[in-house]
Amino acid sequence: MFVQGSARGAYAYDEDGRRYVDYIMAYGPLLFGHTEPALVRGLDDVARSGFVWGSTHPEEVRLAERIRAHLPSMERIRFATSGSEAMMSAIRVARSFTGRDRVLKFAGNYHGHFDFALVAAGASASGAGGIPQSVHREVIVARYNDLASVDEQARGVESGIAAIAVEPIALNMGLVAAEPGFLEGLRDRARRWGALLIFDEVITWLRFGLGGAQGRAEVIPDLTALGKVLGGGVPIAAFGGRSEVMAVLAPDGHTFTGGTHAGNPFCVAMAHRVLDLLESHPERYAAMDALAKRLADGTRAILAQRNLDYAVVQQESVVDCKFRAGPAGRNYDDARRADVDAYAAYHRKMLESGILLPPSQNEVMFVSTAHTAGDIDQTLDAIEKSLPSA
Ligand SMILES: Cc1ncc(COP(=O)(O)O)c(C=O)c1O
């Protein structure tokens, strides 16, 4: 088992100081690798006035305004500490606004580790022990990229649905893009049913650019949850949406969300640093994408030599390859057909070759701005050594 001792740039080091090219990247937040100088420099100055205040402050408001400039659908914003909290709060807001309890979600999407979210969850969530039956009764699970499944699962209870929650680009059952028309279909159904559409952009925002998945899909959700890259490695998250919807929150409304560390000045300052970097260096995205393409193309070439019919999916800085023959997956049924034992053996061999991959095939490989062409080539050499033959 890999036990981490330290980290630097694109690398994780084990307890004995052995170096690994890291593609877990803390499961998403580390867009700039572990120790980007622009993020870690001068932290004493940031910490000088303390870590947490418990009162609203101008930098928090300024951060909300910066986020809204990129995601105009987030007319009003509240900060939280984790993506789980942001999604949990967004769902509470939707329930309060609609006066309904049920939530429709997709098998293989992951929205965090609170009760609702773990029903049929992807990522590394294994099992839903401890979740009350009453929660199961409030959740409707549909198949991703399948509007017929949405209609079938919702039939007869449409008027009881508070929200449709979705990852607009799914990254917790491997990388599965929403097919053309899917998000539009959800938007349309939410409107017809009087439900709210919640985009979980906890991974996608900033990973896929400043406009997030909603910018490129041109589908406007009622509520959005953010996290991960926003803090560049420190825990900060946010949720927000239409003003009239967010108005249910106290003190204006009768719905409470909170959090001792929510909006704390230290994490807010880090989020400003992340936005400073991305707004002033958009070229960093192109460099990451080129490296990820090199990795994806190289992997495809090795698979072809071995006659292995596994799809390699790449979207910008994310690369995904499943041990499953046939075209790229469209939903969780596809993801679950991957060969767990073959991947486990591959994972072990890659580790021996100095490459740190996520242990579950539901997770993806994250390339960061700290990775280099040399890292990618080392990874491709390791793939050559580690992949089985057909
Ligand atoms: C899409 C998505 N939503 C929510 C979460 C939960 O975020 P956190 O782990 O910060 O609670 C995750 C975490 O992986 C995620 O991938």
Side-chain angles (χ1 to χ4, degrees):
M1 190 175 106
F2 174 78
V3 179
Q4 193 154 344
S6 63
R8 188 176 179 83
Y11 311 117
Y13 297 83
D14 67 17
E15 287 181 304
D16 301 323
R18 182 168 178 230
R19 189 183 98 166
Y20 300 79
V21 182
D22 183 0
Y23 290 101
I24 297 181
M25 284 285 136
Y27 296 96
L30 303 179
L31 191 69
F32 306 103
H34 287 280
T35 48
E36 159 64 44
L39 295 185
V40 299
R41 194 183 299 128
L43 286 185
D44 287 4
D45 292 339
V46 183
R48 194 152 288 134
S49 46
F51 294 111
V52 57
W53 291 343
S55 302
T56 301
H57 52 97
E59 283 301 277
E60 193 183 356
V61 176
R62 190 170 73 86
L63 180 60
E65 283 165 355
R66 285 182 87 175
I67 293 172
R68 190 175 53 191
H70 295 297
L71 299 175
S73 74
M74 297 183 78
E75 292 169 0
R76 287 175 68 175
I77 293 175
R78 290 278 174 102
F79 290 104
T81 310
S82 67
S84 298
E85 270 185 84
M87 272 307 286
M88 181 181 72
S89 305
I91 286 168
R92 181 170 307 141
V93 166
R95 284 177 164 151
S96 176
F97 182 76
T98 58
R100 302 170 175 185
D101 288 345
R102 285 197 160 100
V103 177
L104 188 144
K105 65 157 293 192
F106 294 93
N109 280 194
Y110 180 75
H111 300 298
H113 64 94
F114 58 106
D115 286 354
F116 152 81
L118 283 179
V119 179
S124 307
S126 47
I131 296 174
Q133 282 308 311
S134 56
V135 170
H136 285 274
R137 286 195 288 275
E138 289 159 1
V139 184
I140 300 166
V141 180
R143 198 178 299 117
Y144 199 75
N145 276 328
D146 186 345
L147 292 170
S149 152
V150 172
D151 290 336
E152 194 184 319
Q153 297 306 320
R155 190 160 300 131
V157 293
E158 293 92 336
S159 62
I161 298 177
I164 300 175
V166 66
E167 284 184 62
I169 299 170
L171 287 150
N172 286 297
M173 48 181 175
L175 166 54
V176 181
E179 291 171 1
F182 178 60
L183 298 174
E184 290 83 348
L186 299 182
R187 179 63 281 175
D188 174 55
R189 280 157 182 78
R191 205 167 275 133
R192 276 196 276 124
W193 298 344
L196 300 185
L197 180 62
I198 306 177
F199 273 7
D200 181 343
E201 293 233 38
V202 167
I203 293 197
T204 51
W205 190 53
L206 299 180
R207 169 64 56 185
F208 294 126
L210 288 151
Q214 57 194 265
R216 63 190 60 196
E218 292 182 1
V219 174
I220 302 183
D222 300 293
L223 290 164
T224 299
L226 310 175
K228 303 237 183 201
V229 176
L230 173 61
V234 302
I236 180 168
F239 67 98
R242 270 165 52 203
S243 293
E244 58 162 335
V245 173
M246 291 293 282
V248 301
L249 283 170
D252 301 345
H254 60 281
T255 309
F256 184 75
T257 66
T260 302
H261 294 93
N264 71 73
F266 186 87
C267 292
V268 165
M270 293 302 288
H272 277 297
R273 287 182 171 203
V274 168
L275 290 181
D276 289 346
L277 255 179
L278 289 174
E279 287 170 357
S280 57
H281 291 288
E283 76 286 355
R284 288 190 148 202
Y285 279 113
M288 268 190 304
D289 301 352
L291 287 181
K293 184 169 185 314
R294 185 184 181 113
L295 176 59
D297 289 346
T299 309
R300 285 187 193 109
I302 299 168
L303 287 166
Q305 280 162 17
R306 304 283 165 96
N307 285 323
L308 286 169
D309 179 26
Y310 300 160
V312 177
V313 187
Q314 180 227 336
Q315 183 160 350
E316 285 134 80
S317 60
V318 181
V319 179
D320 181 36
C321 174
K322 297 278 154 287
F323 278 59
R324 178 180 50 74
R330 301 178 58 227
N331 55 48
Y332 202 35
D333 294 335
D334 293 339
R336 274 188 296 209
R337 280 199 291 273
D339 183 336
V340 175
D341 295 334
Y343 182 77
Y346 170 73
H347 182 272
R348 261 192 313 276
K349 286 192 177 161
M350 289 292 278
L351 204 57
E352 283 162 17
S353 302
I355 310 295
L356 184 60
L357 299 177
S360 160
Q361 281 189 89
N362 280 341
E363 314 280 0
V364 295
M365 294 168 80
F366 289 109
V367 173
S368 75
T369 61
H371 286 85
T372 64
D375 296 328
I376 303 298
D377 293 344
Q378 184 191 332
T379 308
L380 292 172
D381 285 347
I383 292 174
E384 286 257 25
K385 287 192 211 122
S386 307
L387 266 183
S389 297

